[in-house]
Amino acid sequence: MAANDGRVVSNFIVQALKGDPITVYGDGTQTRSFCYVDDLIDGFIKLFFKDGVIEPINLGNPKPITMLELALEVIRLTNSNSEVVFHPLPTDDPKDREPDISKASELLGWSPKVSREIGLEHTIENVRLQIENSRIDELPWT
């Protein structure tokens, strides 16, 4: 994951590692579900090699987390002193995202294995290395 890709996980991690406030939109109760890349790749491979499956299949993690909970988890995992700040919620921001992976489970025998915490720990270390190996003031952090 690129540290400056503008997505919520990388934004929260970069903000926490820099000690900046963590930006949460709205009241933070909107939910998202995060699936670690290793699990997604495993699901893609199972789907690719499964004969006879020609229908759409959702892959992802069916365990949602609120944006406020995610911000607090990132702060805890990075040992950051960052505080959460709230900004207005964009009007087109979906309230909840949670994939139905029942077809993936039934047809592929697939479900995510990497917990969100472990996935975040790996991602935090990756982002930390990106920051350490770059001139942080030259990168377009959000």
Side-chain angles (χ1 to χ4, degrees):
M1 167 178 286
N4 60 347
D5 71 1
R7 297 175 188 270
V8 69
V9 171
S10 56
N11 283 354
F12 283 4
I13 292 171
V14 168
Q15 290 170 332
L17 290 174
K18 290 174 60 183
D20 292 344
I22 307 289
T23 305
V24 171
Y25 292 94
D27 61 5
T29 60
Q30 64 275 30
T31 63
R32 300 293 182 270
S33 298
F34 300 99
C35 189
Y36 193 65
V37 65
D38 291 1
D39 284 332
L40 287 174
I41 299 293
D42 179 56
F44 291 147
I45 291 169
K46 287 181 184 279
L47 180 58
F48 183 79
F49 288 106
K50 182 69 175 180
D51 288 332
V53 177
I54 57 171
E55 59 191 285
I57 305 237
N58 283 336
L59 298 175
N61 191 322
K63 297 178 182 174
I65 185 172
T66 70
M67 293 298 86
L68 179 56
E69 290 170 328
L70 178 65
L72 296 174
E73 187 169 20
V74 167
I75 289 169
R76 178 179 60 80
L77 292 173
T78 57
N79 295 311
S80 178
N81 292 321
S82 294
E83 295 184 10
V84 175
V85 295
F86 296 90
H87 290 267
L89 184 68
T91 56
D92 61 345
D93 194 64
K95 178 71 176 147
D96 297 299
R97 288 189 183 169
E98 180 182 345
D100 176 355
I101 64 165
S102 57
K103 283 185 184 179
S105 178
E106 176 185 321
L107 299 174
L108 307 175
W110 180 89
S111 64
K113 306 288 185 251
V114 179
S115 71
R116 184 183 55 252
E117 183 168 333
I118 296 297
L120 281 171
E121 287 173 352
H122 290 309
T123 305
I124 287 165
E125 285 313 305
N126 179 274
V127 171
R128 189 184 317 270
L129 286 172
Q130 290 180 58
I131 290 171
E132 289 173 0
N133 293 323
S134 301
R135 286 190 42 116
I136 194 166
D137 56 337
E138 293 179 357
L139 296 174
W141 304 111
T142 55

